[in-house]
Amino acid sequence: MSLASTRPFASRRVLLGVTGGIASYKSAWLARLLTKAGAAVDVVMTRAATEFVGPVTFEALTGRPVHTGLFDAGRALEHVTLARAADAIVVAPATADFLARAASGQADDLLTACLLAATCPVLLVPAMNDRMWAHPQTQRNVHHLGTLGYRVLPPDEGMLAAGEGSGPGRMPEPETIFAHAGRLLETPGPLAGLRVAVTAGPTREALDPVRFLSNHSSGKMGAAIAAAAWRRGADVDLIAGPLAVAPPVGPRVTAVETTADMADAVRRALATADLLVMAAAPADFTPAAVAPSKIKKGSRPPTVALDFTVDILASTRDARRPGAVIVGFALETDDVMAHARAKLEAKELDLIVVNDATEEGAGFAVDTNRVTLLDRAGGSEALPLMPKSEVADAILDRVEGLLGGR
Ligand code: CTP
């Protein structure tokens, strides 16, 4: 197995409902993403959906039979068995007609019958023409379904089918639905109801209007932690310098440029945060003066005087709420554990995630990491080389233990 390939949905069973909208072609990709992540995907199509995409497409992508009829011979109780077996139900796309039938509790086809027979969490992903979405009937149905406990992922704005212009109604991309399915499967997540702030990436300190000082941080580790915390049910603020990766689906993103900006954003987030994870690599130095215009080459190379930037963790100590868990990172090249423990003490952290920058497969830009977790009580846990997504989960497992003890 490649270290980058993980199967977060292994041994989970997802019922994917597909109704008759043009966006159903995107659901084939969603079925593939879920299957690739290890889920057993039971596809249930309405009759109208089969007019858009053939069941055989879903069968080939999931490797499982596709279900279409409520009254197929020999399958009379299928709605009950499918609904009972599902860990989560995702209906994508959910047409206006389907939402209306679901909202009124009808069970006139296999998919609506499954919904009524299910007790697992359900995500509805509406997709339709923008005027149909805006219609008070549809809005009332969506609101009512929300009050029944169904989660609704609102449609995106964008180009609609058949030259219909653009407006809200477009189904979100399969990757976005996939991320929401991950959070759905964790319901109720261990971090539900908690506010988590995560920093990621480098910061930039301007030298002149076109140049800056920065570092090689990609933001992958912080983005993975933010994604994992959101999947576990938390309300997540991702405070991000310029990232080399797309920000994850779910967390609110605050984009910052300098270390001082990041410090301000962290201070604001700490007012409500139950957990802060400082995975960013803020620039430690800033030019003592920013040249107002581009520094010309001239006859000699310039000498740049530097000042320290603010140490974010240390300078925001007074902003922490009592009981909040604070996690820092340490990137070291020598005397690794001693330096890391000194940072844990000096910055008053509960946990520090130690990276040895000289190790292969660890540190910036790569998809894997090998870290050691040091805690305040003197404990130390060395983790093997693993994908950053798994490192994120290991850190949050430890954090949940700390939060539970408060
Ligand atoms: N950090 C911070 N503010 C800074 C620099 C770092 O809050 N200006 C945080 C990092 O996000 C990390 C921890 O402090 O969680 C340790 O960062 P690291 O770069 O390893 O150490 P420094 O404190 O910068 O010390 P040194 O560069 O001397 O190793």
Side-chain angles (χ1 to χ4, degrees):
M1 190 192 88
S2 122
L3 274 172
S5 78
T6 53
R7 290 165 60 83
F9 292 14
S11 75
R12 310 310 296 278
R13 200 151 157 184
V14 177
L15 192 160
L16 174 60
V18 183
T19 73
I22 182 58
S24 55
Y25 80 95
K26 291 195 203 168
S27 305
W29 185 243
L30 175 61
R32 163 116 182 90
L33 290 174
L34 293 166
T35 305
K36 218 174 133 205
V41 182
D42 293 312
V43 176
V44 175
M45 301 178 79
T46 61
R47 200 200 54 72
T50 62
E51 301 283 338
F52 288 88
V53 186
V56 133
T57 302
F58 286 102
E59 202 165 304
L61 289 169
T62 62
R64 300 169 68 82
V66 169
H67 310 270
T68 52
L70 186 56
F71 303 112
D72 293 347
R75 297 177 155 191
L77 289 176
E78 203 160 44
H79 59 291
V80 179
T81 48
L82 282 169
R84 189 177 296 149
D87 294 307
I89 296 180
V90 178
V91 182
T95 57
D97 174 68
F98 176 79
L99 294 172
R101 288 187 296 117
S104 64
Q106 290 186 41
D108 52 354
D109 65 7
L110 181 58
L111 188 53
T112 45
C114 283
L115 273 193
L116 282 189
T119 51
C120 64
V122 176
L123 174 68
L124 304 173
V125 190
M128 64 198 72
N129 168 274
D130 57 338
R131 288 185 296 276
M132 292 173 81
W133 170 249
H135 197 287
Q137 298 266 35
T138 305
Q139 289 301 311
R140 186 196 56 192
N141 291 335
V142 167
H143 175 76
H144 179 57
L145 287 162
T147 63
L148 294 176
Y150 295 108
R151 294 195 200 174
V152 179
L153 179 58
D156 283 347
E157 285 214 21
M159 287 287 290
L160 298 167
E164 271 290 291
S166 74
R170 224 175 108 101
M171 188 165 92
E173 293 309 313
E175 286 76 6
T176 302
I177 304 170
F178 174 75
H180 281 265
R183 180 162 154 119
L184 193 71
L185 277 169
E186 297 265 350
T187 307
L191 297 180
L194 297 185
R195 291 199 67 145
V196 173
V198 182
T199 65
T203 58
R204 289 177 176 172
E205 302 296 327
L207 195 53
D208 70 15
V210 298
R211 301 185 179 93
F212 55 80
L213 297 181
S214 190
N215 58 60
H216 288 297
S217 170
S218 62
K220 283 182 180 173
M221 194 62 245
I225 292 167
W230 182 75
R231 202 177 57 244
R232 290 173 184 229
D235 184 353
V236 182
D237 280 302
L238 175 61
I239 299 165
L243 301 184
V245 291
V249 171
R252 254 184 317 277
V253 180
T254 302
V256 297
E257 181 89 8
T258 65
T259 298
D261 293 344
M262 187 175 274
D264 287 345
V266 167
R267 177 171 287 280
R268 275 194 303 276
L270 278 172
T272 52
D274 300 289
L275 165 67
L276 168 68
V277 184
M278 269 297 293
D284 285 324
F285 311 107
T286 188
V290 184
S293 53
K294 188 182 170 200
I295 301 170
K296 302 303 275 180
K297 274 207 281 285
S299 55
R300 271 195 251 175
T303 304
V304 179
L306 299 177
D307 283 338
F308 286 120
T309 56
V310 59
D311 186 302
I312 299 173
L313 276 172
S315 71
T316 55
R317 255 186 305 228
D318 63 314
R320 300 174 187 173
R321 293 169 67 206
V325 169
I326 311 293
V327 179
F329 275 65
L331 183 64
E332 309 291 350
T333 54
D334 55 275
D335 217 354
V336 173
M337 293 306 152
H339 279 136
R341 194 158 281 289
K343 279 179 195 170
L344 175 95
E345 301 294 340
K347 302 189 188 212
E348 289 178 39
L349 307 176
D350 297 291
L351 194 68
I352 194 156
V353 184
V354 190
N355 283 297
D356 182 339
T358 62
E359 276 201 44
E360 201 175 320
F364 290 155
V366 291
D367 288 327
T368 54
N369 212 351
R370 187 199 304 274
V371 302
T372 300
L373 306 180
L374 301 183
D375 65 28
R376 200 60 176 276
S380 159
E381 184 187 2
L383 300 176
L385 185 69
M386 46 165 97
K388 283 184 173 167
S389 58
E390 288 180 20
V391 176
D393 278 321
I395 294 168
L396 291 180
D397 287 346
R398 289 294 298 270
V399 163
E400 278 171 26
L402 294 171
L403 282 164
R406 302 206 161 169

